[in-house]
Amino acid sequence: MAAGLAEIIVSPLVHSMLDKLASPELRDFGASWGVEAVEGQLSDLTYALEWISAMLCLVEESQIKNPLLKIYLGDLREVSFYADIMLDDFVYEALRLRLQNERNQNREMRQVRTYLHFSLNKNQMLRQREIPCVIDEIREKLVQIGKKIEAHYQNLVVIEGRQLEIERRQRTVSLLDTRQKSSSLVVDSEVVGRSQDKNHLISLLVSGEYDGIKAPVVSILGMGGLGKTTLAQIVYNDLEVKEHFQLRAWVCVPSEFNVERLTNAIMESLTLKPSRLSLLDPNHVKLQDLVRERRILIVLDDVWNENRSYWDTVLAPFRVAAEGSRILVTTRSQKVASIMAAVEISLQGLSDEDCWTLFKRQIFTDIHCEVHPNLEAIGRKIVGRCNGLPLAITSLGGILRGKLDQREWHQVLESKIWDLGEENNIMPALSLSYHYLPAHLKLCFAYCSLFPKGYELRKAILVPLWMAEGFIPSKQVERMEEIGREYFDDLFHRSFFQCSKKSNFIERDGSRKVESVFVIHELMHDLAQFVSTEMCFRIEHDEPNHISKKSRAMSMHIRGLDKDRIKCPSSFLSVGHPSLSYSRQALQDLFVTKRCLRVLDLSNSSIKSLPDSIGYLKHLRYLDLSGTCISVLPESICDLYKLQTLLLKPCPELHELPKGMGNLINLQYIVMDKELWNDHRPAGIGRLTCLKTLPQYVVGQEDGYKIGELKVLQHLEGMLWIMKLENVVNVAEAGEVCLKNKLRLDNLVLEWSNGHGSLPARGEFQAVLEGLQPPVGLESLTISYYLGLSFPNWMMRDFSSFTKLVSVKLSNCTNCTILPPFGKLPSLVSLEIVGSIEMTHLTHEFYVDGQENGGKKGFKKLESLIFDGMCSWEEWYGSEDGEFPCLEMLTLRKCYSLRKLPPLLPTVRVVKIEFCNSLTTFPKLPSICRLELQTLKGRISNLIHQFSSLYSLSVNSVEDSTNLSCAILLPVSK
């Protein structure tokens, strides 16, 4: 590819510096250091950057046509990096002084430094009197470069149609950011031009004849960008295919072929469990036993390795599979298909008409709409240059989505990038899509070149890295991740990312969620590598590599760490290698010499300790130590005032936290084991005002641990678990926490201790819970060991306002005699009540949605209902027309006195009843499929012959279990 396509992007960095110059830390920097001239000089620097920023939108876009502009932008980027580090040093010193003043506020004297630590001097020091000189020097360099750019900028303004054209271009960039979003799921009906290929492939998989071969290979063969993986995904998820095969596995084959790792991946995909066997032979034996005499489908996506013996070894266990099994391979290599003796489907480019249909689908919400003849003529010429490649077409379609301006379509068609390309025009088409990205998205995409091909990307991992690098505006700290996720979605909807699968994962707050996993298409990855030239560098082998001095970020996939090979001052990622080994001395050298690091990822390495010199990394925003054997964190880590993300899970050997973690005032995300946090939680967590995740909060009675520390944590999100609420000394503090204003919380656990020796008065319980009213957008609520006599008003009177609450659990709220009106919760799906022993009757107030709703019944969405340990409960009233229209599972456990149930539960499918000794009647259960009974004394066999749909029965210690089994034997056998 022509070198001219590797653009230099500076505007996001300039915008970031302007944000810093407007921050309160820099506004007061000169006064705090006793240098009066600094305020004026920083104002001059701001003016220079604003002047340059006004020109960058047009200049960056025009650099491909003008090589001189690219040179000037390169110079501007180098000076901007230098200036940004200088401003970060100033901000850091302002934060250090602020924290020092807080610590010494009760002292009359404090020591004032005459120098500050400066990352860009050899002696790492800048004296007070030198500060103005450094600022002036940088401003002068910026002005000189700005003048060179301005001369060309004036010509561009004339050529492009003066200010009107500039504004139109800026609007175009803005519109690219706000266009309509689409679904991430691949839907069969939305895949254009592959129905014949799909039907042919399905027939080869489910009914093809292969002369008695147990697991023959079928290959989808074609060049990159044709949609081989998409076709395989569609077929893999087809209903006929799902029903035909007993076991299915999908594995993306890594480019660095390894038989053991590939066998492990196949095992994990088949069993949905991690494979812990590292040796090939036991894994092969286990895999062989798993597939023996079973009809299997194994998909091996993106195969490159052409060594026959390797593939003979990989496929050996499948020789014992049942006839009808298949191995499906996607590959670009004809030789791969040949050595695997595969039946081939050779994928061709889409027809002209299919190309046009796909292109329209990317641009218009209604593909059947009439397109202006002039636009259609231009559009058909654009797709004609893509040679039938779906990836190129969808990528270009993302540029023009929602646009009807012929000039913009002409710009794409007539772009010079088409003339810079290579064979088949695929890379120019993708490069054109990159060229039309907004500047901030260009940086985010280029950064992805640090990850190896086929690497599985997650938003929750990638977005904090972008934040640390300064790619996301920092004026609104609470919105940084939200904006970053929008960036990610933008790249996905422009086809720079592809959805690979969905998987379960543990959120930063400890909750379990389902998350999409993404990959970058191999061609897009090639593009990312190219456009990130000199900015990002990835080392994958131990042989010597040339690393540019201009590299700002790098990732390593080798075992050792050599500081001389690390020249980047920004990011260091150790990605993709399971056994990285870094000596303490190597880390010491790294921290001392590379003090401008913003991202440091040492995850899954063998390190056992960190040197104190980590405190030198004052620019560090992101630190990942997960999966290491580290046992203690040095106290110097608390000097990293700019740190945003700290990942410490899993760290099984870690048993101590530094005492000064309250100094990490910019920390947003902290991930660690709850037990470690509870045992060594730092005092004064209220100082971490940017914090979004909190493992748990254990309330104490001492200063620094009281409930009031949560008051200023306005950005908390996800799950919040507050423990030991009996330690709330001042009841008013509970209300001052203002949980109801923390709108990003979706899971709340409020817990008092069980059997605490000095519990507060019962009235105080209710006052505390009243004060801890959650936000109305809450999705899950748990209250444990609450000993108040009644529930607070926000539960008894205002529950209907919690429209998103889907799960509620009350555990051992033993003094309450009346339950809240759960029927008022319109979205409730799961309800569990454990240990409410004072209640004797469950009446209509429980499930009627109150007079304000005309007395209509609630629980419109409830699916699971559990009552456990309600020893005093005797009767559960209900009506003849039935309650709970969606209830599927009912569990009754240790309700010893319960005699009466509602007369009709029409939708319940599963009933579990244990230790309910007084129960002698059953409701009508016309939909029941499964019944589990344990330790019942009543004679109830003659009451449940109605269960005609029952297919599963479990009976244990039931008094008349013999008669019971006989009574329902016939229905069960059905």
Side-chain angles (χ1 to χ4, degrees):
M1 191 186 301
L5 293 179
E7 301 175 9
I8 293 178
I9 305 301
V10 194
S11 51
L13 183 58
V14 172
H15 295 156
S16 175
M17 285 192 287
L18 287 171
D19 287 343
K20 289 172 187 172
L21 284 163
S23 68
E25 289 83 8
L26 282 185
R27 283 201 306 267
D28 302 332
F29 177 74
S32 63
W33 274 85
V35 184
E36 296 180 1
V38 166
E39 183 177 353
Q41 289 174 314
L42 291 178
S43 296
D44 291 342
L45 181 60
T46 300
Y47 177 80
L49 287 169
E50 288 174 343
W51 168 56
I52 291 173
S53 177
M55 298 185 286
L56 283 178
C57 179
L58 186 54
V59 170
E60 287 178 333
E61 186 176 328
S62 305
Q63 61 183 290
I64 289 178
K65 304 173 186 176
N66 189 336
L68 269 179
L69 280 180
K70 186 171 181 179
I71 293 172
Y72 298 152
L73 287 172
D75 294 340
L76 177 61
R77 183 173 64 182
E78 291 305 306
V79 176
S80 296
F81 277 133
Y82 189 95
D84 193 45
I85 292 170
M86 176 195 73
L87 294 179
D88 270 347
D89 278 343
F90 292 170
V91 170
Y92 180 89
E93 286 301 317
L95 294 175
R96 187 189 63 78
L97 280 176
R98 193 180 96 191
L99 292 169
Q100 177 181 295
N101 291 340
E102 290 175 1
R103 288 193 296 267
N104 298 324
Q105 59 183 343
N106 296 324
R107 302 179 188 178
E108 295 182 0
M109 299 289 292
R110 67 179 179 88
Q111 184 178 2
V112 180
R113 285 185 181 177
T114 59
Y115 66 91
L116 58 84
H117 292 293
F118 195 57
S119 305
L120 299 170
N121 284 351
K122 288 184 178 180
N123 60 1
Q124 302 284 312
M125 185 176 69
L126 186 66
R127 298 191 181 278
Q128 185 182 38
R129 54 183 165 78
E130 296 173 331
I131 295 175
C133 300
V134 171
I135 301 175
D136 267 347
E137 181 185 353
I138 287 180
R139 185 186 62 81
E140 282 298 323
K141 289 181 179 179
L142 289 171
V143 169
Q144 289 174 13
I145 298 171
K147 288 178 179 178
K148 295 177 183 178
I149 291 175
E150 187 178 35
H152 294 268
Y153 173 76
Q154 297 298 338
N155 291 332
L156 288 171
V157 171
V158 173
I159 294 171
E160 296 292 339
R162 299 188 184 278
Q163 190 62 30
L164 183 63
E165 181 67 14
I166 297 171
E167 291 176 358
R168 186 188 65 77
R169 285 172 176 270
Q170 291 173 335
R171 284 198 304 272
T172 299
V173 171
S174 176
L175 285 170
L176 283 169
D177 264 347
T178 57
R179 72 184 200 285
Q180 183 178 354
K181 305 295 190 290
S182 61
S183 169
S184 66
L185 298 178
V186 177
V187 181
D188 190 354
S189 61
E190 293 184 354
V191 179
V192 176
R194 294 300 183 202
S195 57
Q196 186 174 349
D197 293 314
K198 171 192 169 184
N199 294 335
H200 180 41
L201 181 56
I202 289 176
S203 69
L204 290 176
L205 294 180
V206 303
S207 59
E209 297 294 332
Y210 299 93
D211 298 328
I213 301 174
K214 285 291 186 73
V217 178
V218 177
S219 72
I220 306 175
L221 180 65
M223 68 171 292
L226 274 174
K228 300 184 296 297
T229 298
T230 301
L231 176 61
Q233 288 173 334
I234 295 168
V235 170
Y236 185 79
N237 291 291
D238 182 81
L239 182 60
E240 182 182 0
V241 171
K242 285 183 176 180
E243 292 177 347
H244 181 76
F245 294 101
Q246 296 168 287
L247 286 176
R248 295 178 305 138
W250 179 288
V251 177
C252 183
V253 181
S255 56
E256 293 185 10
F257 190 85
N258 180 288
V259 176
E260 290 83 359
R261 288 172 60 188
L262 183 56
T263 303
N264 264 332
I266 295 172
M267 279 290 298
E268 291 180 3
S269 183
L270 285 170
T271 62
L272 301 180
K273 296 178 181 179
S275 177
R276 306 190 184 280
L277 298 175
S278 58
L279 298 178
L280 179 62
D281 183 63
N283 239 340
H284 260 188
V285 172
K286 187 176 180 180
L287 180 57
Q288 183 173 262
D289 290 343
L290 179 65
V291 304
R292 189 184 304 277
E293 296 304 321
R294 303 176 83 172
R295 195 159 52 242
I296 63 168
L297 172 63
I298 309 295
V299 178
L300 302 175
D301 185 38
D302 198 20
V303 175
W304 283 90
N305 189 279
E306 298 177 347
N307 187 311
R308 182 187 300 273
S309 62
Y310 280 8
W311 285 114
D312 288 343
T313 304
V314 169
L315 301 180
F318 305 123
R319 294 170 186 155
V320 300
E323 287 192 16
S325 297
R326 301 288 186 269
I327 311 294
L328 177 61
V329 171
T330 71
T331 181
R332 297 190 203 180
S333 169
Q334 173 73 48
K335 188 174 181 180
V336 167
S338 176
I339 66 169
M340 298 178 81
V343 176
E344 298 175 15
I345 289 184
S346 184
L347 214 57
Q348 304 300 319
L350 299 179
S351 68
D352 291 345
E353 215 42 54
D354 286 335
C355 288
W356 173 241
T357 301
L358 180 60
F359 190 67
K360 282 206 305 181
R361 176 163 286 161
Q362 296 300 309
I363 297 173
F364 305 106
T365 54
D366 180 9
I367 63 169
H368 301 294
C369 68
E370 291 294 327
V371 182
H372 191 281
N374 290 345
L375 280 183
E376 181 169 348
I378 301 169
R380 287 185 178 274
K381 289 180 181 178
I382 291 173
V383 298
R385 304 191 74 168
C386 294
N387 286 357
L389 296 171
L391 180 63
I393 295 167
T394 56
S395 179
L396 285 177
I399 297 173
L400 297 172
R401 178 166 294 186
K403 294 181 172 57
L404 299 176
D405 189 334
Q406 291 184 36
R407 290 177 300 173
E408 295 178 84
W409 287 47
H410 263 299
Q411 274 189 329
V412 172
L413 177 62
E414 297 171 0
S415 171
K416 296 294 184 183
I417 294 177
W418 292 107
D419 302 327
L420 302 175
E422 312 179 322
E423 182 184 0
N424 295 319
N425 277 338
I426 178 65
M427 288 311 290
L430 301 185
S431 299
L432 196 59
S433 299
Y434 171 81
H435 175 68
Y436 276 88
L437 284 177
H440 58 272
L441 292 187
K442 288 180 179 179
L443 286 181
C444 292
F445 173 68
Y447 191 82
C448 296
S449 67
L450 292 174
F451 301 96
K453 288 185 177 181
Y455 191 83
E456 293 184 341
L457 299 171
R458 290 172 167 82
K459 281 187 196 178
I461 299 298
L462 194 52
V463 170
L465 291 172
W466 291 343
M467 290 167 52
E469 286 289 351
F471 299 160
I472 301 173
S474 57
K475 276 187 177 179
Q476 295 177 290
V477 173
E478 67 277 10
R479 291 202 64 232
M480 287 181 72
E481 184 177 31
E482 180 183 339
I483 295 171
R485 287 176 175 269
E486 291 173 3
Y487 288 3
F488 192 102
D489 290 341
D490 276 346
L491 287 168
F492 169 72
H493 294 303
R494 298 168 197 262
S495 300
F496 286 86
F497 297 147
Q498 295 178 333
C499 186
S500 171
K501 62 182 179 181
K502 292 185 179 293
S503 65
N504 292 317
F505 79 109
I506 304 299
E507 184 59 282
R508 296 189 191 97
D509 57 28
S511 58
R512 185 178 295 275
K513 294 187 178 180
V514 176
E515 182 188 39
S516 295
V517 178
F518 299 84
V519 294
I520 299 178
H521 188 281
E522 188 163 337
L523 288 175
M524 281 293 189
H525 194 279
D526 291 341
L527 177 64
Q529 284 185 278
F530 181 80
V531 299
S532 64
T533 303
E534 293 190 344
M535 287 295 296
C536 301
F537 197 89
R538 193 174 74 253
I539 300 177
E540 293 189 355
H541 307 288
D542 287 321
E543 62 267 16
N545 297 91
H546 172 69
I547 304 176
S548 170
K549 293 181 178 180
K550 296 180 180 180
S551 294
R552 301 293 165 180
M554 72 172 297
S555 61
M556 296 184 71
H557 309 269
I558 57 178
R559 293 179 181 273
L561 174 63
D562 181 355
K563 67 179 178 63
D564 294 328
R565 302 177 76 181
I566 303 173
K567 301 181 181 181
C568 61
S570 179
S571 286
F572 174 74
L573 303 174
S574 56
V575 182
H577 204 291
S579 57
L580 291 159
S581 177
Y582 303 141
S583 69
R584 184 180 176 87
Q585 185 59 50
L587 291 175
Q588 170 77 13
D589 294 341
L590 175 66
F591 299 159
V592 170
T593 58
K594 313 299 177 186
R595 299 193 183 195
C596 294
L597 281 171
R598 291 186 172 199
V599 172
L600 178 60
D601 177 4
L602 300 173
S603 60
N604 299 310
S605 62
S606 61
I607 62 170
K608 297 182 179 179
S609 63
L610 287 175
D612 290 336
S613 56
I614 193 172
Y616 294 155
L617 305 181
K618 58 184 179 179
H619 298 274
L620 200 64
R621 270 88 162 165
Y622 182 101
L623 177 59
D624 188 356
L625 300 171
S626 57
T628 64
C629 299
I630 192 167
S631 57
V632 178
L633 293 176
E635 192 66 33
S636 61
I637 207 170
C638 302
D639 294 334
L640 306 179
Y641 308 143
K642 304 282 286 183
L643 196 64
Q644 297 170 346
T645 302
L646 178 60
L647 305 179
L648 299 170
K649 185 176 182 177
C651 287
E653 304 298 323
L654 188 59
H655 58 79
E656 187 176 340
L657 294 177
K659 296 179 180 178
M661 288 187 68
N663 289 340
L664 303 179
I665 54 178
N666 278 295
L667 196 62
Q668 295 187 39
Y669 306 109
I670 181 169
V671 179
M672 66 174 66
D673 290 322
K674 292 182 175 66
E675 294 76 13
L676 175 67
W677 178 263
N678 292 342
D679 293 341
H680 302 280
R681 64 191 188 280
I685 197 171
R687 298 162 67 189
L688 308 183
T689 57
C690 297
L691 202 62
K692 293 185 176 181
T693 61
L694 188 59
Q696 278 181 338
Y697 188 74
V698 182
V699 181
Q701 297 183 359
E702 308 85 8
D703 288 342
Y705 298 99
K706 295 180 179 179
I707 189 72
E709 294 289 326
L710 298 176
K711 178 180 178 180
V712 295
L713 304 186
Q714 295 298 325
H715 308 311
L716 288 177
E717 60 185 36
M719 180 179 182
L720 176 60
W721 188 336
I722 307 178
M723 304 174 65
K724 295 194 175 182
L725 282 167
E726 68 275 4
N727 287 329
V728 177
V729 178
N730 184 351
V731 171
E733 283 189 358
E736 293 173 358
V737 170
C738 288
L739 287 184
K740 62 182 179 182
N741 293 336
K742 303 186 192 307
L743 303 181
R744 296 177 182 271
L745 290 178
D746 54 43
N747 189 340
L748 179 64
V749 179
L750 301 174
E751 182 178 298
W752 284 259
S753 296
N754 180 22
H756 191 274
S758 55
L759 289 175
R762 291 180 176 180
E764 292 184 8
F765 274 94
Q766 186 169 343
V768 169
L769 191 55
E770 187 73 64
L772 295 176
Q773 178 178 343
V776 293
L778 200 70
E779 297 177 8
S780 177
L781 173 66
T782 299
I783 300 174
S784 298
Y785 299 105
Y786 169 71
L787 298 184
L789 295 176
S790 62
F791 290 98
N793 289 329
W794 57 266
M795 296 181 73
M796 301 303 293
R797 298 179 185 177
D798 303 324
F799 236 5
S800 59
S801 61
F802 290 82
T803 57
K804 297 182 179 180
L805 198 56
V806 297
S807 175
V808 177
K809 179 178 181 179
L810 301 181
S811 177
N812 296 291
C813 304
T814 53
N815 289 332
C816 295
T817 57
I818 299 177
L819 288 173
F822 290 110
K824 290 185 177 183
L825 296 172
S827 302
L828 191 64
V829 173
S830 173
L831 176 61
E832 182 174 358
I833 301 172
V834 179
S836 299
I837 61 175
E838 296 296 324
M839 187 190 72
T840 58
H841 294 76
L842 196 61
T843 59
H844 67 282
E845 287 87 358
F846 172 65
Y847 43 16
V848 173
D849 192 4
Q851 294 182 355
E852 66 271 17
N853 198 20
K856 295 181 181 179
K857 295 175 182 177
F859 295 114
K860 298 300 184 184
K861 297 183 178 180
L862 190 70
E863 298 176 3
S864 174
L865 180 58
I866 298 174
F867 292 106
D868 187 352
M870 298 176 62
C871 302
S872 300
W873 185 24
E874 297 177 3
E875 296 190 358
W876 180 1
Y877 294 102
S879 59
E880 293 293 337
D881 57 349
E883 268 64 52
F884 311 107
C886 294
L887 188 65
E888 294 189 357
M889 178 176 288
L890 173 64
T891 299
L892 300 172
R893 186 182 297 114
K894 296 182 181 179
C895 301
Y896 301 115
S897 304
L898 181 62
R899 302 189 304 272
K900 181 179 180 180
L901 297 179
L904 174 63
L905 296 172
T907 59
V908 172
R909 297 172 57 82
V910 179
V911 175
K912 299 179 181 180
I913 301 177
E914 302 175 6
F915 302 99
C916 298
N917 298 334
S918 301
L919 188 63
T920 57
T921 63
F922 268 79
K924 294 179 181 178
L925 300 167
S927 301
I928 190 169
C929 297
R930 180 179 175 185
L931 178 63
E932 296 182 13
L933 304 174
Q934 181 172 344
T935 316
L936 302 182
K937 293 184 178 179
R939 302 184 63 79
I940 58 176
S941 59
N942 60 334
L943 300 176
I944 61 173
H945 60 277
Q946 53 167 312
F947 302 152
S948 58
S949 59
L950 195 68
Y951 69 79
S952 176
L953 174 66
S954 175
V955 179
N956 185 18
S957 301
V958 175
E959 186 172 288
D960 58 347
S961 59
T962 303
N963 293 332
L964 177 62
S965 300
C966 294
I968 59 176
L969 178 60
L970 182 60
V972 172
S973 65
K974 277 184 175 180

